[in-house]
Amino acid sequence: QVQLVESGGGLVQAGGSLRLSCAASGGTFSRTAMGWFRQAPGKEREFVSAVSASNWGYSRTSYADSVKGRFTISRDNAKNTVYLQMNSLKPEDTAIYYCAAAFGYGLPSPKPAEYDYWGQGTQVTVSS
């Protein structure tokens, strides 16, 4: 069974940056699509970004409109790790950020139901 562990969350002022990491184990990492989702108190879990599997030697990415141009997702298959570089952070980015893994077609889907495994989450707090 695949296990995912997020890290890198913390407290940052508006306009600052953080880099989240998600370390995967127990599966064939290069054949999984990896996604980042976030959930604020009282709100539904929402899509942030995803990167496709590396079946053909390259990956495709997708982003929520709210983070496009500010966040960048990347993966390092040699380290079984996916990253989320977050720049120009805003208070509305405050949430618990979750890493997720999807097998199947390995596309960078924004739909939570298409992901098979989830991490425990890491808190990101952006102050004004």
Side-chain angles (χ1 to χ4, degrees), residues 12 20 36 51 53 57 74 83 89 105 108 123:
V12 65
L20 305 183
W36 286 99
V51 59
S74 62
Y83 304 95
L89 284 163
Y105 293 112
Q123 177 70 48

Side-chain angles (χ1 to χ4, degrees), residues 30 35 70-71 77-80 84 88 93 98 103 114-115:
S30 64
R70 299 189 297 122
F71 292 9
N77 291 335
K79 297 182 178 180
N80 287 359
L84 184 68
S88 302
D93 294 318
Y98 296 91
F103 288 87
E114 296 186 2
Y115 289 81

Side-chain angles (χ1 to χ4, degrees), residues 52-101:
S52 71
S54 305
N55 297 344
W56 302 277
Y58 65 92
S59 300
R60 294 186 291 182
T61 59
S62 61
Y63 296 91
D65 288 341
S66 60
V67 306
K68 194 173 298 182
R70 299 189 297 122
F71 292 9
T72 302
I73 191 170
S74 62
R75 65 188 300 154
D76 187 337
N77 291 335
K79 297 182 178 180
N80 287 359
T81 301
V82 63
Y83 304 95
L84 184 68
Q85 178 66 46
M86 305 185 294
N87 298 327
S88 302
L89 284 163
K90 305 174 181 179
E92 51 262 46
D93 294 318
T94 296
I96 300 175
Y97 283 70
Y98 296 91
C99 175

